[in-house]
Amino acid sequence: MEKLQHYVGRLVRLRPAIFDRLASEARRRGAAVENSFIVASARTACNKLVCCGADRCLLVSPADVSLV
């Protein structure tokens, strides 16, 4: 679980497949989205990261992000 804490406070980007799904949803709503998120916290119980962008927070797997 210490590995998840390594991501907290770091800038990450989503994998292209995940980001494309998010971007298509945003386009349907008429919103713009950038592929740049800060990891706010790590949920060790479910092995997920809470990633916050400009207007949304996402719960994603560490495998779905890459450090910038």
Side-chain angles (χ1 to χ4, degrees), residues 5 7-10 12 37-42 49-52 57-58:
Q5 292 300 323
Y7 288 97
V8 176
R10 307 282 301 271
V12 296
F37 297 89
I38 298 280
V39 178
S41 66
L49 300 170
V50 178
C51 298
C52 295
C57 287
L58 306 169

Side-chain angles (χ1 to χ4, degrees), residues 14-49:
L14 298 175
R15 277 191 5 226
I18 304 296
F19 179 71
D20 289 343
R21 192 176 333 145
L22 179 67
S24 67
E25 177 187 314
R27 276 193 299 271
R28 282 193 298 269
R29 293 179 309 155
V33 65
E34 259 188 64
N35 194 1
S36 184
F37 297 89
I38 298 280
V39 178
S41 66
R43 302 286 173 109
T44 55
C46 58
N47 197 34
K48 300 283 183 182
L49 300 170

